Amino acid sequence: MAGYEPKAIEAKWQQLWAEEKTWEVANPGQPGHAAEKPKAYVLEMLPYPSGEPHVGHLKCYAVGDAIAHFRRRHGFEVIHPMGYDSFGLPAENNAIKTGEPPRAATERSIESFRRQFREWGISIDWSRELATHTPEYYRWTQWIFLRLFERGLAYRDEAPVQWCPKDATVLANEQVVDGRCERCGTQVEQRRLEQWFFKITDYAERLLADFDLLESWPEHVVTMQRNWIGRSEGAEVTFRCEELDLDFPVFTTRPDTLFGATFFVLAPEHPELERLIAGTPVEEEVREYVNRVARESVEDRGDEDRPKTGVPLGRTVVNPVNGEEIPMFVADYVLMEYGTGAIMAVPGHDTRDYEFARAFGLPVKRVIEGADEEVAGDEEGLPYPGDGPMTGSGRFDGKHNREAYEEIVAWLKGEGRGESAVNYRLRDWLVSRQRYWGAPIPVIYCEQCGIVPVPDDQLPVELPEVDDYAPQGRSPLAAAEEWVATECPRCGAAARRETDTMDTFVDSSWYFIRYLDPVNQEAVWDRAAADHWLPVDQYIGGVEHAILHLMYARFFTKALADLDQLSVQEPFANLFTQGMITRDGAKMSKSKGNTVSPGEYVERYGADTARTYVCFMGPPERGGDWSDEGVEGVQRFLSRLWRLCEEVEAKGDAAVDAGAAEGEARELLAKAHWAIDKVSRDFERGFQFNTAVAAVMELVNEAYRVKDGIYGDPAGLGAVRFATATAASLIFPFAPHLGAEVWERLEGRRIWETPWPVADPALLASDTVTLVVQVNGKLRDRIEASSEAPEAELLALARESEKVRRHLDGKEVVKEIVVPGKLVNLVAR
RNA sequence: GCCGGAGUGGCGGAAUUGGCAUACGCGAUCGGCUCAAAAUCGAUUGCCCUUACGGGCUUGUGGGUUCGAGUCCCACCUCCGGCACCA
């Protein structure tokens, strides 16, 4: 008998699936569309094609493919597409280092991914394949940009960016390591430059509210997004600088502490700062301070443990609740990006304001009674961030601060000095990159007309070829002079193209919709196709995308729905995040040399083994440690199933006859039905694939245990045959080639066209149960009992047990607990 | 600091509603087959005491609820992830 040869089996089925285009599905209205079936959109995050696939990819697509197969066999028309997130920095950095154009390296990598996906046997609808770096795709990325621009959701504004003075270039955040340029090690500066933004902050409220529309997302992902959006309720209160006739609004979550404000602080970037200091004695000192802050790295400035610094401005503002004049300061602990860039400082009830007050010898005033042991900085128990009755707050004294809160806001509103307000931590999405390998931003700058969008019929704005990819303080595209020079679409005058490209997160914010109509030349997608397939029923990917990618895609979906291009508000109804695979407990990285190449393992053990192993090594949502011995264990299991199939096949045909099966034959049938039930429930209960695979292993083990004793009996052979075919059917989502092969040999049919099995309740139930007998909660005996036995009979059985008697000797049973079908507990004294 | 998640054999991990702790796999030990090895088949394998029969202990730590706790409650410790001067 030939042994298990995965290579031959896998090649056979991969060829058949490719030739028959088995996994392709048609849109409504197209030939071959299965209108009678419910749809299921199963999607894994598209890979970024850089080099070869790694084990993280293998795990993601193995998990997603298992789900796709499971749904297909439950009668769903499953759309399961694949593509490549093929713009991005690594390809460009590689180009700078080696001179190889990004396109060449990217396309070579795509070829490698495509080949390996086929070798892994992933059930992909290849007719829908796309890559975001192709003009056919980014034409529509640009089209969406223009629609957002028309709506005011894409805008240009000045923003601080990371600037390397030596390389004279803007750096992406991830290129700044410990405040220094990744390439030359120079200290990075902040500069203000004109940048493109998407107005995601307009959607902050909906991005929060619509978590309710999701079916099933991991709780921690929702929490992470909630924190990222960072909604705070409070009030905007206006403080007035009488000398200069200037109003300074501040945002505060604690209007109840207004009476405790003893000073006032502006961010160093505050636009009114210049007016406040012009011609005053502190002018020089403040400028120096502001410049010093501007040179600081973001990390340093964000460090909470650093001593507070700042400069007094020699000006005052009036506290609207009590008319007190309080001094103004500039300090870097106040951020321009949040709220209004100015704060009222309440050192008695805020730790940061307290630290500043101590450093500058400013008064600390208590306005709420109470003490916080944890943070108390002085003998009076201040600063105190908690709640309590108010004091030193005029007519609000004695009132609980939470009650006074609304009253104070209402009073301010009446005075025209404030109102309730909501603030978000979320900032607008900065999408422009001074980089080559991305989708060009489709706008033109005209002296006369200003910013002019490229007309739709001139899309795509194709990426020009350049020789030098290294940024020189501007986008590498700026060097393509012939490309940059164009004419204004509005007035025809000479004009220049935008040379920035888009963040690659823009490309990946809508790819899942383009899959639904990937070759459409006339429109971004056919509305009927999008309406049919969306939302994605099951999205699978790494938890590292919990915030950015998933939130950007949610934002795009909402914006596109507002543009009347979509009918859904949320793109991904169910989300599954897989955990990271480690090696020897450490994150895999090329520099550590501990990477696992899936290609090697597929070559050595076969795709079925590699796929089943990543599903078996632990709960898929958690991480797991790769072990070569573990891979071999799975290989052994699949070989055992294979040899069982060959043995059974050689013994000839025999029908399953549950009625005729007795003894071990019946037990084996029961085990098979138990496995069907177990695997089905593991799928439904959140993809617990490790225990699902374990259940199939148990079934195969049981078949090995009993087979030689029951082959002689036709019903026995039938039972072994059924167990083997069932094991193949259940392992198919994880090991599709072996599953298909064994099923074909035993059943003569295609497993993926065979409905998922259903466990027979009659075989799940057993006539007898093992009764656990405890004395005082401790296990003393196990007794076989009829599963229908009444409580009294179970009790009698328990008391008869010799082992139980020994422990009851000389004691009185004061309580008897019976859980029918499970256990008896005798409480003795 | 804030918000999540997790602590179970030598290792990865299992335990559905509060009811047999350690399924399944790895590793290890022993045995069958073999001249031998590999492959394979089978047995044993939480810890401690005991020749044995048997007994005791055990799910990060300490307490609690309960006939009964890995599971529920309280306090604490450790590790991992996210956010972090966000007013």
Side-chain angles (χ1 to χ4, degrees):
Chain A
M1 254 189 277
Y4 172 43
E5 283 171 29
K7 252 191 194 142
I9 298 171
E10 292 176 4
K12 167 186 161 183
W13 292 101
Q14 283 163 19
Q15 194 185 345
L16 184 135
W17 295 330
E19 277 168 8
E20 298 194 353
K21 304 180 191 308
T22 311
W23 315 118
E24 290 187 14
V25 293
N27 283 352
Q30 288 179 342
H33 174 64
E36 73 289 355
K37 288 187 182 177
K39 70 94 183 178
Y41 189 172
V42 178
L43 179 69
E44 300 96 49
M45 291 180 185
L46 86 176
Y48 174 73
S50 169
E52 302 270 316
H54 54 75
V55 272
H57 292 113
L58 176 68
K59 182 170 177 181
C60 181
Y61 301 109
V63 167
D65 209 39
I67 296 168
H69 279 310
F70 187 75
R71 294 263 174 118
R72 281 190 194 100
R73 291 182 61 198
H74 277 83
F76 288 90
E77 179 81 334
V78 171
I79 183 168
H80 189 221
M82 182 60 70
Y84 311 96
D85 187 17
S86 39
F87 271 139
L89 264 181
E92 187 165 338
N93 287 340
N94 174 65
I96 294 165
K97 217 185 293 169
T98 67
E100 181 179 29
R103 185 183 312 279
T106 300
E107 286 177 355
R108 192 155 32 83
S109 178
I110 287 176
E111 189 43 55
S112 164
F113 272 76
R114 189 184 284 135
R115 196 190 71 243
Q116 294 210 32
F117 288 151
R118 287 187 189 270
E119 285 172 0
W120 299 350
I122 311 288
S123 62
I124 293 164
D125 178 348
W126 287 106
S127 72
R128 296 171 186 271
E129 186 186 24
L130 57 79
T132 61
H133 77 290
T134 58
E136 295 76 33
Y137 183 87
Y138 69 69
R139 167 185 180 179
W140 299 106
T141 306
Q142 292 170 337
W143 183 89
I144 293 171
F145 178 96
L146 293 173
R147 300 292 84 74
L148 295 177
F149 178 71
E150 285 164 5
R151 278 227 152 196
L153 290 172
Y155 66 94
R156 210 168 148 74
D157 198 8
E158 207 181 55
V161 292
Q162 311 283 348
W163 176 266
C164 172
K166 180 145 180 279
D167 288 354
T169 181
V170 166
L171 300 174
N173 284 331
E174 57 269 33
Q175 292 177 295
V176 182
V177 180
D178 296 331
R180 288 172 182 279
C181 173
E182 178 189 54
R183 281 209 308 279
C184 67
T186 311
Q187 183 101 43
V188 167
E189 294 174 1
Q190 277 209 358
R191 283 212 177 174
R192 298 188 69 82
L193 289 176
E194 290 260 309
Q195 302 285 315
W196 283 97
F197 291 88
F198 285 161
K199 217 162 172 28
I200 191 171
T201 52
D202 270 11
Y203 287 77
E205 204 56 56
R206 282 166 66 185
L207 287 167
L208 283 173
D210 288 355
F211 285 131
D212 292 346
L213 303 179
L214 305 173
E215 281 171 42
S216 160
W217 273 41
E219 199 48 49
H220 67 278
V221 172
V222 172
T223 305
M224 275 159 79
Q225 290 203 9
R226 267 214 176 91
N227 293 344
W228 185 263
I229 295 167
R231 184 182 199 272
S232 297
E233 281 186 33
E236 195 161 295
V237 183
T238 304
F239 285 65
R240 184 165 179 78
C241 174
E242 297 289 355
E243 286 172 278
L244 292 175
D245 196 21
L246 276 175
D247 276 342
F248 287 96
V250 300
F251 174 74
T252 177
T253 54
R254 297 294 304 275
D256 51 312
T257 63
L258 261 165
F259 287 89
T262 57
F263 58 102
F264 191 93
V265 190
L266 296 180
E269 299 85 358
H270 199 284
E272 301 291 0
L273 197 54
E274 196 51 40
R275 269 178 80 181
L276 286 162
I277 57 165
T280 72
V282 295
E283 191 172 351
E284 265 319 296
E285 198 190 341
V286 170
R287 286 227 180 90
E288 222 167 83
Y289 180 75
V290 169
N291 285 337
R292 203 179 75 213
V293 171
R295 282 195 304 273
E296 276 170 352
S297 73
V298 178
E299 274 102 330
D300 286 350
R301 181 162 171 190
D303 184 1
E304 283 173 66
D305 300 330
R306 212 168 58 143
K308 296 278 180 286
T309 61
V311 180
L313 298 177
R315 303 273 188 190
T316 60
V317 285
V318 176
N319 185 339
V321 292
N322 55 14
E324 265 178 36
E325 291 209 12
I326 56 176
M328 298 181 85
F329 289 80
V330 58
D332 67 355
Y333 81 95
V334 175
L335 309 174
M336 193 60 220
E337 305 91 75
Y338 187 77
T340 62
I343 62 155
M344 64 170 200
V346 184
H349 302 281
D350 180 284
T351 51
R352 298 151 304 181
D353 296 345
Y354 180 84
E355 283 166 25
F356 191 87
R358 288 298 285 261
F360 285 79
L362 295 160
V364 178
K365 188 178 164 193
R366 176 186 284 282
V367 289
I368 292 176
E369 306 276 11
D372 193 318
E373 306 296 327
E374 299 263 314
V375 292
D378 65 13
E379 315 77 48
E380 292 173 61
L382 295 177
Y384 170 60
D387 295 329
M390 297 185 52
T391 181
S393 301
R395 61 199 176 87
F396 297 100
D397 281 2
K399 202 162 242 174
H400 193 267
N401 69 315
R402 291 289 144 193
E403 273 173 60
Y405 191 105
E406 293 298 334
E407 272 182 58
I408 292 174
V409 175
W411 178 82
L412 283 167
K413 193 171 166 109
E415 296 289 304
R417 306 304 295 167
E419 60 186 333
S420 58
V422 173
N423 243 286
Y424 302 92
R425 207 195 72 100
L426 183 69
R427 313 270 155 80
D428 275 340
W429 175 9
L430 197 166
V431 295
S432 44
R433 296 285 181 274
Q434 293 72 41
R435 286 293 184 159
Y436 173 76
W437 193 231
I441 293 175
V443 302
I444 288 167
Y445 299 99
C446 169
E447 297 255 326
Q448 303 303 314
C449 313
I451 298 173
V452 182
V454 173
D456 286 357
D457 60 11
Q458 289 176 27
L459 297 181
V461 176
E462 285 209 41
L463 200 53
E465 299 296 326
V466 301
D467 299 323
D468 186 4
Y469 302 99
Q472 312 282 338
R474 53 179 193 176
S475 167
L477 287 184
E481 276 301 330
E482 281 179 34
W483 177 84
V484 173
T486 185
E487 53 188 47
C488 173
R490 202 165 287 163
C491 71
R496 295 179 66 78
R497 289 191 188 278
E498 169 63 80
T499 57
D500 285 358
T501 54
M502 282 185 249
D503 181 4
T504 52
F505 275 116
V506 179
D507 308 324
S508 57
S509 291
W510 71 281
Y511 75 101
F512 53 93
I513 319 175
R514 184 66 181 177
Y515 279 145
L516 308 178
D517 194 14
V519 294
N520 196 330
Q521 302 283 310
E522 312 303 318
V524 66
W525 52 72
D526 174 59
R527 179 66 182 272
D531 285 352
H532 174 73
W533 294 112
L534 289 177
V536 172
D537 295 280
Q538 185 63 58
Y539 199 29
I540 301 116
V543 72
E544 65 274 18
H545 294 111
I547 299 176
L548 293 184
H549 163 62
L550 288 168
M551 198 149 63
Y552 292 150
R554 295 180 63 215
F555 159 60
F556 256 49
T557 301
K558 291 175 194 307
L560 287 161
D562 290 352
L563 290 160
D564 200 26
Q565 297 291 333
L566 292 178
S567 308
V568 292
Q569 286 294 325
E570 284 292 332
F572 314 122
N574 298 285
L575 174 69
F576 183 85
T577 54
Q578 99 227 23
M580 203 175 42
I581 296 177
T582 55
R583 179 88 196 242
D584 307 321
K587 212 169 167 172
M588 289 185 204
S589 73
K590 281 177 192 155
S591 56
K592 280 193 208 127
N594 63 345
T595 54
V596 169
S597 154
E600 269 174 45
Y601 284 86
V602 169
E603 174 69 21
R604 202 178 326 158
Y605 300 102
D608 284 339
T609 293
R611 292 178 57 162
T612 306
Y613 176 63
V614 293
C615 290
F616 177 67
M617 62 196 296
E621 71 276 14
R622 299 235 298 263
D625 205 52
W626 184 277
S627 118
D628 287 0
E629 290 77 19
V631 179
E632 281 167 18
V634 169
Q635 160 101 1
R636 259 195 289 277
F637 155 62
L638 295 180
S639 303
R640 273 161 73 82
L641 175 54
W642 174 257
R643 287 197 309 272
L644 189 61
C645 168
E646 289 200 312
E647 195 173 290
V648 164
E649 216 186 343
K651 299 236 179 243
D653 217 346
V656 203
D657 185 348
E662 291 176 336
E664 293 193 316
R666 193 182 164 84
E667 276 173 40
L668 182 56
L669 287 181
K671 188 78 186 180
H673 283 272
W674 167 84
I676 291 169
D677 185 58
K678 172 73 177 152
V679 174
S680 305
R681 279 183 297 123
D682 283 343
F683 260 97
E684 279 146 20
R685 257 183 27 188
F687 315 125
Q688 297 181 19
F689 295 156
N690 53 330
T691 50
V693 173
V696 185
M697 287 174 171
E698 283 194 56
L699 173 56
V700 171
N701 290 348
E702 179 75 359
Y704 267 76
R705 193 177 66 81
V706 303
K707 65 186 172 66
D708 291 331
I710 61 176
Y711 272 144
D713 174 28
L717 177 56
V720 180
R721 208 182 165 90
F722 178 77
T724 309
T726 298
S729 176
L730 297 177
I731 207 65
F732 169 75
F734 311 105
H737 313 86
L738 179 66
E741 181 70 23
V742 170
W743 188 262
E744 187 188 53
R745 281 167 180 250
L746 298 183
E747 300 289 324
R749 294 176 58 198
R750 294 173 160 189
I751 183 65
W752 62 89
E753 290 167 1
T754 308
W756 190 256
V758 179
D760 179 355
L763 281 157
L764 283 179
S766 149
D767 306 339
T768 61
V769 292
T770 305
L771 185 72
V772 170
V773 185
Q774 298 177 332
V775 176
N776 288 338
K778 284 196 166 139
L779 175 74
R780 294 303 173 189
D781 202 3
R782 291 173 230 255
I783 302 169
E784 285 300 310
S786 158
S787 43
E788 259 110 65
E791 287 192 18
E793 194 182 321
L794 295 177
L795 266 175
L797 274 171
R799 281 172 172 279
E800 274 165 30
S801 156
E802 183 51 43
K803 291 174 184 169
V804 170
R805 278 179 164 172
R806 202 158 44 218
H807 287 92
L808 287 179
D809 192 35
K811 291 176 183 162
E812 185 197 351
V813 175
V814 294
K815 197 165 180 181
E816 294 164 329
I817 286 133
V818 182
V819 183
K822 274 198 180 134
L823 107 177
V824 169
N825 187 14
L826 301 172
V827 186
R829 230 181 3 217

